[in-house]
Amino acid sequence: MNTQNIIKASSQAFIAAVLAVLLAAGSFFLIEPQVGQAVTSGPFTITTTITDEISFLVGAANVTATGSINGITGGQANGSTTVSVRTNSNTGYTMSIAFYNNGTDNAMLGNNSLSQSIRDYPASSTEPTYLFDTSSTSAVFAYTVSALDDTDIARAFLDNGIGACNELAGAYTADRCWMEPQVAGYEIIDRTSSAPTGATSTISFRILVPNNPVPGLVADVYTATATLTAVNQ
């Protein structure tokens, strides 16, 4: 083989080799187009759910109503209990009070005599009376509610200032709206925001005995039992 043929053969071999490399490289990038390029996945989110909870930070304590009450000439006794409800519900909570059904028509019962001489306060079953009604000829037992934040108080205990409770646009006035005890739960608190450190409210009770009550009062200790139930809105 002469020198010219050798050079020609070498050139053809070199060109063939270069073409082979280029073909291989082209095939690689066609088959794996993302190799050597920046890629992005997403966006994506991470979520979790926090459930609402409710508890009594401070529960209701037993109440001993104080005041001078004579069985014949009468008198008045008052007492209260304060509770604090803690909730993380953004829409707040409601609280109701229910009195134990002791098998009688009245919440208070003589511990030994089982006397029902202290009657349930004569309010409507749906709303309190404006001011404490002292016209009853029998001994009566009633309650009302207050709160550290007046806006927590249920509508039933808001008054219009001139003689009516359960006012939609009413305001709270201390000792203005009094309610009869009921076996069914009656709403006393309606809070519309969370209470992460506790919302405080007070339930006040009053026993009024008129002069010469009818029926007459047997000398005894009289007791009523109640339960508070708080529920997230």
Side-chain angles (χ1 to χ4, degrees), residues 31-191:
I31 296 172
E32 297 289 341
Q34 293 184 340
V35 172
Q37 300 177 23
V39 294
T40 300
S41 174
F44 65 97
T45 62
I46 301 91
T47 62
T48 189
T49 299
I50 306 299
T51 60
D52 60 354
E53 291 184 285
I54 188 168
S55 64
F56 279 99
L57 197 61
V58 177
N62 292 335
V63 179
T64 299
T66 58
S68 178
I69 299 183
N70 298 308
I72 296 175
T73 56
Q76 178 177 295
N78 297 281
S80 64
T81 187
T82 296
V83 299
S84 179
V85 175
R86 184 181 184 184
T87 178
N88 66 333
S89 169
N90 290 329
T91 52
Y93 72 98
T94 61
M95 185 168 68
S96 60
I97 185 170
F99 290 82
Y100 176 67
N101 183 357
N102 53 29
T104 70
D105 294 331
N106 300 288
M108 297 207 86
L109 195 65
N111 289 4
N112 298 313
S113 64
L114 302 183
S115 169
Q116 299 182 56
S117 297
I118 300 179
R119 303 296 176 85
D120 290 346
Y121 180 75
S124 163
S125 61
T126 57
E127 63 185 58
T129 63
Y130 183 83
L131 300 181
F132 191 96
D133 184 357
T134 60
S135 63
S136 175
T137 57
S138 64
V140 292
F141 169 57
Y143 72 92
T144 188
V145 63
S146 61
L148 189 61
D149 184 346
D150 289 351
T151 62
D152 291 353
I153 298 172
R155 170 182 168 178
F157 295 89
L158 303 180
D159 66 271
N160 62 2
I162 57 174
C165 296
N166 195 26
E167 292 293 302
L168 181 60
Y172 171 74
T173 309
D175 296 335
R176 191 64 59 87
C177 297
W178 291 87
M179 186 60 184
E180 65 173 293
Q182 295 180 347
V183 173
Y186 191 82
E187 186 177 283
I188 58 177
I189 294 293
D190 181 10
R191 183 181 175 92

Side-chain angles (χ1 to χ4, degrees), residues 10-24:
S10 298
S11 298
Q12 290 175 343
F14 175 76
I15 293 172
V18 171
L19 290 175
V21 170
L22 292 175
L23 181 61

